[in-house]
Every structure is written in structure tokens, then in C-alpha cells.
Amino acid sequence: MRLDTLRRRFFGDIVNTGLTLLVLAALMLWLPPLLEWAVLNARFAPDIAACEALDHRGACWGVVAEKARFILIGRYPADEAWRSILAAGLIAGSWLGVATGVLRGRSVIPALALPPLVAIALLGGGLGGLQSVPTELWGGLPLTLLLTAAGMAGALPLGIAVAYGRRSSLPVLRGLLTAYVELARGIPLIAALFVASFLLPLFFPDGVALDMLWRVLIAIVLFAAAYLSEIIRGGLQALRTEQLDAAAALGFSEWQTQRWIVLPQVLRAVAPSLANSAIALFKDTSLVTIVSLYELTGSLGLALSGDAQWRPFYLEAWIFIAAIYWAGCVLLARISRAKPLRP
Amino acid sequence: MRTSSRVVQALILAVVVGLCVLLAVTTAGHLEQRGIRSGFDFLLEPAGFSLGESMLPVDAADSTLLAFVAGLLNTLRAALPGAALALGIGILAGFGRLADNPLVRGLASAYVNAFRNIPLLLQLLAWYFILTDLLPAADAAMHLAPGIFLSKSGLSVPWWGETGFEIPEPGGFGIDGGARLTPEYLTMLIGLALYSAAYIAETLRAAVLALPPGQRLAALALGMSPRRAFIDVLLPQAWRAALPPVTSQLLNLFKNASLAVAIGYPDLVSVAGTSLNQTGRAIECLVIVIAVYLLLSLVAAAISHRLEQRTLQGRPA
């Protein structure tokens, strides 16, 4: 019976048999050379002479060992590297905690909102005896994680406020907020980053000079909040009106109804969509390299483009970075399935 | 109640207008300090830069406006064929993920998982590295098919040239004749298509899986083969549900075309960036970019609305 099902699935009819043979042929053609390149012929030690001798017949994974520190933390001062690693660990740890269900219920929101703040304090220093490190030197994985976590932490409250504002009875407020949401959703993120990079400095009064990092973070928060507000608005619309009637019958005030009845249910219902937005933002943080912030993607270029010796092994280092992004996306996707806001 | 809401609205409007005026005054002050003129007159002045590639010939003496138009055409030249490719590959991969055959399903799943979970920018950088560093030089171009050559300097294909329809052939310094697609263009085309296709595949799969299971069972009960049931019963219904998210994916593809700036393909955003650096007119250049993208979004919304109307009309009574 089992064998029969298998045979039907692989060789059920002419089309299926053809597809099976085609895929098998492709695998047999491609897998052995890939295995040879990635494992059998590969060099794992950071030995440039051995790697050059390979002439790309095998992978030079040594480039990862050679450049790991630079790719992972960018230009952050080597003596202070532990702060960078700790900051990344805090944020990644909080995601892991929520994804595995260790952190749940009421602890989820503080567990996701606090780590980026602590990470900023850790990376920046200047207090508690920590040496101050300017934001231009922040980079690599900690910066990628920080932009994602801080971006979401800033965008969620704003998105909730905008979603409520668009349900207000004041046409002027509704119109202004609709214009903002449509504008932000209509333009590519790069345009928003260019605005942050070139226009924001013109907008601030004299004597107020924000670092590029903060300007980019403002742009990211405003950009992401527009998308989040649409998700929240959908959640608000989907809420059953009986819930409001019940709250009114129990004598809840408008504020109490929203705080204790509506918002908890809406946030729980849209949590998977919020996690999807977090995944999109996590990948989109790579764009900040275009305005000269060297997060993971930027630090890969920084590590290799100036180094004629190691640059030929860009692909190997690229695979390392891609694997990190992939793992981050899978982790965030786990959060969306973990029903994290369940009490 | 009515008056109080009017007062609140007037107050909101006053605050917003006040903020805008404050911003305008501050910005004007900064522009004056830095000696930057404002206005859109620079569009008619010489651009001062030429485009790496363009359907319109643009050089430094041509107007900035022409450079912007060429940039927009470059965006469309990458995004339109990219969208068609994405749709084709996405439909194939979506079917693959629903296939009975575990090998096909596994392959399609691996593709969708890999391409959705790696940032598009990173994918573009990899394609660009492969196309410009790993391929052979032009004088040792790979001969893919009769008249088709691939090398570090791009893909040469048969096309109409100065001497009529030309078939590329190896010449003294590389490949002569036909049309050459640059590595930058190929990177955008491949990168955008494969990234969006992975999302379209997921959308289609979700749409088919969301159909009530009774539809399939009813089709099978009527004696249809599983494949006929899929093509004639499930697919037409799923397509209707998938249309809005698929159009939004295609619109995303247009917005993602702005990543061209990272690999030096002269799209609209990259032209705006260059012009901004040349003239210092940041506000004007970014206003143009934002306006064009908003317009594209509007056009896309209108098209998708029309399509939905037409698809809904096709629904049996």
C-alpha cells in the first residue's frame, strides 16, 4: 500500500514520471560538483596561499574566519567588541525567547521593546564607565538587529495611534493620516532613506544635528508604522461588535474598553502579520548600506571590496551572511507561529 | 459637540500648517546659508553627467529632464520584463509546491524558502558578482546557443543593428553585432524576477489551499482526474482570490527596482541621486522620485481594480 502510494507519486503517469526523471537528472548533474566545491575541495583555514592555489575549484571558507570579526561587528572598536556582541545577543535572545515560548503573555511586549534600548546604551556607552563610541562606528549584525528591533518598537505604538486616528470622527485628522499612510506605502524605502539622509538635516533648526543612524531610524519608524497601521486597522475592523457591547454592559469606559478589551484581542489576532512585517523590515535594513551605514550587508562590502587578496572569495563570505539572514527570518517566522501573545 | 469637533480639527490643521511653515522657513534658511538655489529650472539645464546605459541617448550636455526620463525608462525596462518573468516563474513554482510529486515539491519549496528569506539587495549583489567577476572575459565568451554569448561584459543576443538583423559573433575585442544586455541590466532582471516569483508562488499556493476542500472532492466525485480538477476547478477560483495580492507583489517589484542604485544600473532613483549630488537640489530631486512612484502606485491600483472587476464579472451566477 505504502509502496504503491510512493510509486504513484513519483511515477503516477507520464507527466509525473517525466518530472521525476528531470529533477533526478538535474540533481545528479548539479549536486556532485556542488559537493565537490563546497566540501571535498574546500579549504577551511584562513590561508590565502592555499585558497589562491585552489583557483575556485573548491570553496575558500577561510575567508569567513579571516573576516568574521569585521563582517559581524563592522568598524566597532576591537577592544570594546564584547559590547557589540552582547547587544546583538540581547536582541537575538529576546527573539529566541519569544519564538520558543519561554517569554510569553504579558512579558512579550517589554521583552521585545527593552533590548533595543539597552543595546543602544551598550553600543553608545558614555555612561557607567563605558567608553563612548560614535554611531558611525556601529556596524555589522548588531546594527542589523538594532534597526529591526528599534524600528518595530517605535513603529508599533505609532502604527496603533495612526490606526485609531483613521477611525476618528474628525475628517481633517482622517484625511491627514490617510495621506501619510498612502504616501509612505507608495514610495520605495530607498526614497525614504534618501529623505532621511539629504532632507532631514535641512529641516532641523540650527544647532540640532542628528547622526545619520538616528535620521535613518526615524525614516524606518515612519515607513514601517504606515504598514503596521494598516494591519492594526484590519484587526480593528475584524473585531466582533459584541465585544464592545459586552464591555459597555459591564460599565467599561471608552478608554478601558480599548485598553482591556479591544487592543489585546486585536494585537493577538494580527500578531502573525506583525511578525511578517518584522521579517520584511529585517531584510530591508540591508538598504541602509546605500546611505553609508554599515550593517551586515554593508560590512560585507567594507570587509572585502578594499582587499584585493580576499575579494575573489566574495561568494563564500556572501553565503555566510546569507545564512545569517536566513536564520534570522526563520526565527522571526517562528515567532509568527508561536502565538506569542497568548497568555 | 459639533462645534468642539470643529475646534479640534481647526487646531490640528493649525498645528500641521504651523509645522510646515516652520519647516519651510528653516529649510529656506539652510539653503540660503549653503548657497543652494531652489526651483525646478535645473531640469532644463545640462545634466552634467551621462548614463551608463539608456534607451535614449543621453550625454552630459543634454538636459537633466531628459536624464530623468531616461532613468524612468530604465526602471520600466527592468521592471516590466521582470514582472512578466516573475509571474511565469511564480506560477510554475507555485504549482510545484502543490505538486503530488515529492521531488518537485521539495525543489520548489527549497527555492521559495531560500529566495524569500534572503534580502533582495544581497541577492542582487551576488548576481552582480557572478555576472561581473566569475564569468569569462569578453574575448573568451561562453557560447550558450547559436548567436548567444555570455561574458563579463554581458549577454549578446541576435537583434536589429546598423546592418539589419544581426547575429552576434566573436570579433577582435569581444562579441560583435546584435544587442548586448549589460551585467547591470541582467542583474536587475534576474534578481527582481526570482525574488518576486518566490512571493507570487507563496501567494498562489495559499490561494489554492484556502479553497474549501469540498470543491476538489466534488470535482473528483464527478469523475475528473486530480489534474483536471486542479486545472478546471481549483485554479480558476484560486486565481480570483490571488489576484489582489499578486498585483501588490508586482507593484513591490517596481518599488524594488529602486535597488538598482546599489549596483550602478541607472534607474530613476539612481539618476535622481546623481543629479542631487551634482546640483545639491535635494528637495526637488526627491520630490520627482516620490511623485513618479506615487503615480505608478495609482496606475497599478487602477489596473488591478479593472482586472478584479473583470474577473468578478466572469464568475458564474
Side-chain angles (χ1 to χ4, degrees):
Chain A
M1 179 63 195
R2 268 252 176 93
L3 205 66
D4 209 46
T5 324
L6 274 183
R7 196 169 61 202
R8 185 171 49 75
R9 287 193 165 167
F10 283 108
F11 304 104
D13 55 12
I14 277 210
V15 180
N16 235 340
T17 309
L19 284 173
T20 302
L21 293 179
L22 201 70
V23 175
L24 280 180
L27 288 181
M28 272 162 63
L29 203 68
W30 287 94
L31 271 188
L34 188 67
L35 197 68
E36 214 166 273
W37 180 80
V39 183
L40 299 178
N41 287 347
R43 290 281 177 279
F44 296 88
D47 175 352
I48 187 70
C51 281
E52 279 169 351
L54 273 177
D55 193 27
H56 293 296
R57 275 176 289 107
C60 168
W61 298 113
V63 67
V64 175
E66 174 76 20
K67 297 288 182 185
R69 196 186 67 83
F70 203 86
I71 293 174
L72 285 177
I73 67 169
R75 296 180 295 170
Y76 204 81
D79 299 342
E80 307 286 329
W82 64 273
R83 286 158 56 182
S84 213
I85 295 163
L86 187 59
L90 267 176
I91 296 175
S94 71
W95 293 358
L96 202 64
V98 176
T100 54
V102 173
L103 298 165
R104 61 167 124 188
R106 285 182 160 208
S107 55
V108 166
I109 289 181
L112 292 177
L114 288 181
L117 292 177
V118 179
I120 289 173
L122 256 177
L123 288 168
L127 40 94
L130 287 179
Q131 188 194 327
S132 166
V133 177
T135 57
E136 299 97 80
L137 296 183
W138 303 9
L141 183 60
L143 186 57
T144 296
L145 294 171
L146 176 65
L147 287 170
T148 312
M152 282 303 282
L156 187 57
L158 186 59
I160 294 174
V162 171
Y164 272 107
R166 288 189 67 185
R167 289 162 65 88
S168 113
S169 57
L170 309 176
V172 169
L173 185 64
R174 276 205 312 265
L176 285 170
L177 291 176
T178 307
Y180 150 65
V181 170
E182 292 305 321
L183 177 71
R185 282 166 20 106
I187 61 172
L189 179 57
I190 292 204
L193 292 176
F194 275 174
V195 169
S197 166
F198 296 107
L199 291 194
L200 279 190
L202 295 174
F203 292 163
F204 291 127
D206 284 318
V208 181
L210 277 185
D211 286 349
M212 179 70 95
L213 176 65
W214 308 126
R215 282 183 269 144
V216 161
L217 201 53
I218 291 174
I220 286 179
V221 165
L222 289 176
F223 188 79
Y227 286 86
L228 295 192
S229 79
E230 285 290 278
I231 294 173
I232 309 270
R233 208 163 64 96
L236 285 171
Q237 275 166 0
L239 191 76
R240 288 159 44 151
T241 47
E242 292 95 318
Q243 295 289 329
L244 299 178
D245 298 340
L250 288 173
F252 275 48
S253 71
E254 175 66 26
W255 167 256
Q256 283 174 323
T257 309
Q258 297 301 331
R259 168 68 185 84
W260 298 108
I261 310 290
V262 176
L263 210 49
Q265 296 192 56
V266 166
L267 285 181
R268 236 167 256 170
V270 300
S273 305
L274 294 179
N276 275 339
S277 287
I279 294 176
L281 181 58
F282 177 63
K283 289 188 292 172
D284 278 348
T285 56
S286 58
L287 304 197
V288 304
T289 172
I290 292 168
V291 289
S292 319
L293 284 180
Y294 298 102
E295 44 56 75
L296 209 44
T297 307
S299 61
L300 169 70
L302 216 54
L304 288 180
S305 60
D307 188 335
Q309 251 188 337
W310 287 102
R311 203 192 118 71
F313 309 105
Y314 180 87
L315 213 54
E316 287 88 332
W318 183 94
I319 292 171
F320 174 58
I321 303 279
I324 295 177
Y325 275 111
W326 187 82
C329 288
V330 169
L331 184 60
L332 288 169
R334 278 289 295 276
I335 292 186
S336 82
R337 269 178 262 129
K339 302 200 174 87
L341 294 170
R342 288 282 151 80
Chain B
M1 189 65 192
R2 246 225 149 102
T3 12
S4 79
S5 91
R6 280 214 183 121
V7 171
V8 174
Q9 296 200 58
L11 222 65
I12 294 173
L13 209 59
V15 169
V16 171
V17 170
L19 269 176
C20 288
V21 170
L22 190 69
L23 275 184
V25 171
T26 322
T27 309
H30 284 293
L31 290 179
E32 208 177 292
Q33 271 173 22
R34 295 177 199 187
I36 301 170
R37 289 179 303 141
S38 50
F40 286 92
D41 51 313
F42 74 107
L43 285 176
L44 299 176
E45 289 162 13
F49 58 90
S50 58
L51 265 57
E53 62 180 295
S54 159
M55 289 195 283
L56 303 169
V58 177
D59 65 36
D62 284 313
S63 71
T64 312
L65 183 63
L66 195 68
F68 270 96
V69 171
L72 177 59
L73 286 177
N74 273 340
T75 296
L76 297 177
R77 190 167 74 108
L80 286 175
L85 265 179
L87 208 52
I89 301 170
I91 290 173
L92 277 182
F95 288 179
R97 288 209 66 179
L98 292 163
D100 244 358
N101 190 322
L103 275 176
V104 175
R105 210 167 54 222
L107 200 68
S109 303
Y111 158 67
V112 169
N113 268 319
F115 281 76
R116 264 163 45 105
N117 288 330
I118 296 172
L120 174 59
L121 178 63
L122 204 59
Q123 295 186 26
L124 290 174
L125 291 174
W127 291 120
Y128 194 57
F129 178 78
I130 291 170
L131 287 170
T132 54
D133 270 62
L134 297 188
L135 286 181
D139 51 15
M142 292 158 70
H143 196 177
L144 295 183
I148 298 180
F149 293 88
L150 185 63
S151 74
K152 267 182 191 170
S153 43
L155 181 74
S156 289
V157 292
W159 197 250
W160 287 272
E162 287 156 24
T163 59
F165 193 76
E166 297 171 351
I167 297 191
E169 49 191 42
F173 298 100
I175 309 297
D176 295 332
R180 190 173 62 84
L181 304 173
T182 64
E184 289 79 15
Y185 177 73
L186 291 172
T187 300
M188 291 313 294
L189 195 64
I190 301 172
L192 288 174
L194 288 178
Y195 185 75
S196 294
Y199 278 90
I200 291 172
E202 260 322 80
T203 307
L204 287 177
R205 188 178 83 110
V208 171
L209 291 183
L211 291 174
Q215 294 291 327
R216 184 181 133 89
L217 295 176
L220 294 181
L222 287 173
M224 289 184 169
S225 72
R227 188 164 288 127
R228 272 260 81 78
F230 180 72
I231 294 173
D232 287 340
V233 177
L234 299 183
L235 213 51
Q237 302 185 60
W239 183 242
R240 221 170 274 155
L243 202 56
V246 167
T247 16
S248 115
Q249 287 306 334
L250 294 178
L251 184 60
N252 277 345
L253 185 146
F254 270 84
K255 288 195 261 172
N256 284 335
S258 59
L259 295 191
V261 66
I263 55 153
Y265 176 71
D267 80 316
L268 176 73
V269 173
S270 131
V271 168
T274 313
S275 175
L276 189 159
N277 281 326
Q278 294 256 328
T279 61
R281 303 214 186 167
I283 302 175
E284 291 83 351
C285 288
L286 290 175
V287 162
I288 294 174
V289 169
I290 290 171
V292 169
Y293 267 101
L294 286 183
L295 205 67
L296 280 177
S297 298
L298 271 179
V299 171
I303 293 176
S304 102
H305 184 71
R306 280 284 293 279
L307 274 176
E308 270 168 54
Q309 292 291 317
R310 213 187 296 167
T311 327
L312 285 179
Q313 277 164 15
R315 170 180 286 176

